[in-house]
Amino acid sequence: MPPTTGLILTGGGARAAYQVGVLSAISRLHREAGAGRVNPFPVIAGTSAGAVNAAALASGADDFGGAVLALKQVWRDLHAEQVYRADAFGVIRTGARWLSLFTIGWALARWRRARPRSLLDTEPLEALLHRLVPIQRVPGLLRSGHLRALAITGSSYSAGEHVTFYDAVPGCSPWSRSQRLAERATLTHDHLMASSAIPFAFPAVPLPVQGRVEYFGDGSMRQAAPISPAIHLGADRILVIGAGRLHEPASERVSVEGYPSLAQIAGHTLSNIFLDALAVDIERLRRINHTLSLLGLDARHGTALRPIELLVIAPSQRLDDIAARHLHALPVAVRAMLRGIGVAPEAEPGDPHAAGGAALASYLLFEAPYTRELIALGESDTLARRDDVRRFFRWDGAAAPERA
C-alpha cells in the first residue's frame, strides 16, 4: 500500500508567499512526472497564513495544478489593501487609536467608548478568502476520495488551549494532548480568519468548540508540535514548508544601540511565535525516527510510534533582509503608523535600524514586489532540490530516500 503523504504549511503572515513558490515548483515537477491532476497531498494541515494556502489547495484537490496556479496568481498580485484596511481612515480607526492608548490611557478610551481590538482592520481579508477559497467544496472532495483530511489550527484566547479543527474521512478520530486538542468540524472561512489572526495586528475571531464559543487568534501561538496534526490524520511521509530560519544562512549579528523599539520587540516576538516551534518539532521527529531505527522489529511493534519520512523545504535567504528592501512598498498610512513604533522604511538596507523593523514588516508586507520575490525564491529553492523531491514522491522511478 503506498504511503499517505501529508503537507504542513506553517504561519508567517506575508512570508507565506514563499510556500506558494515551493508549491509552484512541485506542481511543475508533478506535471513532468506525468501525474496528471491527482492531488499529491491527501492530508493537508495549515496554520495562520499557511492555513489559507492549505485550504485553497484542499478546496481544489481535484485539480492540484489548477489550485496552485490560482493561489500563485493571487499572491503575485497581492496588495495590503486586500488583507487589511490600509487607507488613512482605516489605519486611524484601528491602529492609531490602539497606539494612542499607550499615551492617552484607558480612561479616555473608555470615555470615548473606543475599544479597538487590533492594530489593523482585516475586513478586506474576509472578502478575499471568499473569492480565493471555495472551502465549501471540501466535504465533497473528502467523499470522492480526492482528499483524506484538512486541518486548520487556532489558539484560544478564551481557554488558553491550542485547537486543531479538522474535517476528514471516516476513521480519523480526534486527539487530545496537554493544552492542545482536536475537534472535527465543518471548516469555514471563519476558521481561516481565526487561524491567521496575527496577535495584536489582527482581531480575534469567535469559533464554536466543544459546545461553547471561544475567541481564537493565530494558530502559531503555543503551537508546540506543528507536524503532529498530519501524523494524527494518517500521514506516513510529510513535506514541511517553512517560512524562515531553518535553512537561512548565518549572518553577522546586527546590534542596534539603545533601548529596543516596539518594532524590534514585536518582530522578535513574532519570529519566536512563527518560526521556533517548527524547528524544535523537526528535531524531535528526527530523533524519534533515529531511535526507532535502532530497535528490532519486535520492539517496534511494541510501541505506538512509527517512523515518518520527512522532507523539509525552507528559505535559503533571510526573509528579513528581503523585507528590508521592500519597506517602501507598504501603503503610506501603514508606513506612517509603523514609523511610530520604530520601523524605518526610509533607512537603507543593511542599516541596523532598518533590520530592527524589517522582521515585523516581513509579516505585514502583503505587497507584490515582496511576495513575488518570495515566490521566486521558493521556486528556485525547490528546483535546486528536485532530486530530493522526486525521491520523496517516488516520481520517475526514483529510489526511496532514507528516513529523516
Side-chain angles (χ1 to χ4, degrees), residues 48 51-52 55 129 133 135 152 188-197:
S48 189
V52 174
L129 292 180
V133 186
I135 200 168
I152 304 298
T188 68
H189 295 103
D190 284 345
H191 291 91
L192 303 184
M193 290 292 291
S195 182
S196 57

Side-chain angles (χ1 to χ4, degrees), residues 82 122-132 193:
Q82 296 173 272
T122 54
E123 184 178 347
L125 176 59
E126 187 170 5
L128 175 64
L129 292 180
H130 280 276
R131 295 197 305 273
L132 174 64
M193 290 292 291

